[in-house]
Amino acid sequence: FAEESSCRLQHGVGMSQVQWFSALATLCSIINDRETVEMARIVMSSGPGTNGTFDLKSALHQLMHNCTEPDGSFSRSQFCARLDAAVALTARFGVLSDLADEELQEIIEYLLTLFPCGAAAPDDVERFDGWNQTVVCGQNGLFHQDLHRSSVLVRSRDVGWLQGLSEWLQGGVAHAWSGSFTCHPDVADLHDAGKLGRALKEQVDAYRLEKCLEGSSPTVGTNWVLQAYGDLYKSGLPICRDGTRMCVICVAKGVEPSVFWR
């Protein structure tokens, strides 16, 4: 896959960000039909980004992925906390990488594609686990095409015993139905480029001031780290040390693991 991408670039044939992630999603589905393959690892090895923002987009995608409760329902509180952390991460990256306003706007548009679809499934299916909740599409705008896909496993209503038995033996099935992306109603009020842009500007100004107070030091200071840690802590995600990925605090690029580590 990486060799094919390199060949395309050598001949002046590139892929857009959406096309790139779509290709990776297809590759993951081939490897694992449950789509639990960690895309960030593939992205790390074969990323085509040339403007320095590809590592950031990869981190944002991982940060915004799967904001659900244990029962599979969408969680607005989780999404809002992670969205705030994503905006803060973008601000840190923008300040340390000295991104132009046009590049920051590109990141805002990318964040909008990470919002989930909330289209309701037809009445002929219900949740397999028996919860009396509406089945909705769980795909984000980045991967969404002409089909919705259920966020939880479902079973069909009013079907023959053979199909019912088949779905029961599988532990439920993923249901797909036609339709275009519709932002989840729980976060539709946040799906606004203007709101995200203003929130990002506030964060950029705050981190830019902190960077100015630190002077010409090549590394970030204690206050920067504490502020970044606080933003990430609110997201509810565990913070771990992994040198192969971009640091979400000082945005240092990840490095390939050594042969011994492999």
Side-chain angles (χ1 to χ4, degrees):
F1 185 71
E3 292 175 355
E4 174 66 18
S5 302
S6 300
C7 181
R8 285 173 174 266
L9 292 175
Q10 290 174 1
H11 291 83
V13 180
M15 290 192 297
S16 68
Q17 191 72 33
V18 175
Q19 291 173 321
W20 181 258
F21 272 92
S22 178
L24 287 180
T26 303
L27 178 60
C28 287
S29 65
I30 293 173
I31 298 173
N32 187 329
D33 60 359
R34 291 292 184 182
E35 296 184 356
T36 58
V37 175
E38 190 173 358
M39 290 182 59
R41 291 297 182 182
I42 303 176
V43 170
M44 186 69 195
S45 302
S46 56
T50 57
N51 62 354
T53 61
F54 190 82
D55 287 336
L56 172 62
K57 291 180 178 180
S58 176
L60 291 176
H61 179 269
Q62 188 174 14
L63 180 63
M64 298 301 298
H65 178 64
N66 195 26
C67 298
T68 57
E69 299 288 358
D71 63 357
S73 60
F74 176 74
S75 173
R76 174 184 168 88
S77 59
Q78 280 191 36
F79 184 88
C80 291
R82 295 190 189 184
L83 183 61
D84 291 341
V87 171
L89 171 57
T90 303
R92 291 193 293 276
F93 189 95
V95 171
L96 294 178
S97 302
D98 197 22
L99 294 185
D101 291 341
E102 294 78 10
E103 292 174 305
L104 290 176
Q105 184 60 37
E106 177 188 340
I107 302 300
I108 290 295
E109 294 174 358
Y110 176 77
L111 273 175
L112 291 175
T113 66
L114 300 182
F115 277 64
C117 178
D123 294 334
D124 56 352
V125 295
E126 61 183 359
R127 290 180 56 131
F128 184 81
D129 56 15
W131 283 72
N132 187 23
Q133 294 180 345
T134 303
V135 177
V136 298
C137 176
Q139 298 182 96
N140 61 32
L142 186 63
F143 299 137
H144 205 294
Q145 298 180 354
D146 297 329
L147 285 177
H148 298 296
R149 181 174 179 177
S150 60
S151 57
V152 295
L153 296 177
V154 301
R155 59 187 174 193
S156 303
R157 291 172 172 166
D158 302 326
V159 295
W161 69 270
L162 184 59
Q163 181 177 344
L165 177 61
S166 175
E167 293 179 356
W168 180 80
L169 291 174
Q170 295 179 68
V173 295
H175 181 65
W177 67 101
S178 300
S180 57
F181 175 82
T182 303
C183 185
H184 200 290
D186 288 352
V187 292
D189 59 314
L190 304 175
H191 194 258
D192 186 308
K195 288 183 179 180
L196 290 180
R198 290 188 292 271
L200 177 59
K201 185 178 184 305
E202 292 179 4
Q203 290 281 4
V204 166
D205 291 342
Y207 277 106
R208 189 167 287 160
L209 175 60
E210 189 60 45
K211 185 60 179 174
C212 290
L213 294 176
E214 294 171 1
S216 58
S217 174
T219 58
V220 297
T222 303
N223 291 336
W224 176 290
V225 173
L226 291 176
Q227 184 174 349
Y229 183 85
D231 293 332
L232 292 169
Y233 181 79
K234 295 175 184 177
S235 70
L237 293 174
I239 302 175
C240 60
R241 184 174 183 177
D242 185 353
T244 63
R245 306 181 191 180
M246 182 192 76
C247 176
V248 292
I249 292 179
C250 68
V251 302
K253 291 182 66 67
V255 296
E256 287 292 334
S258 64
V259 176
F260 174 78
W261 179 257
R262 290 180 184 173

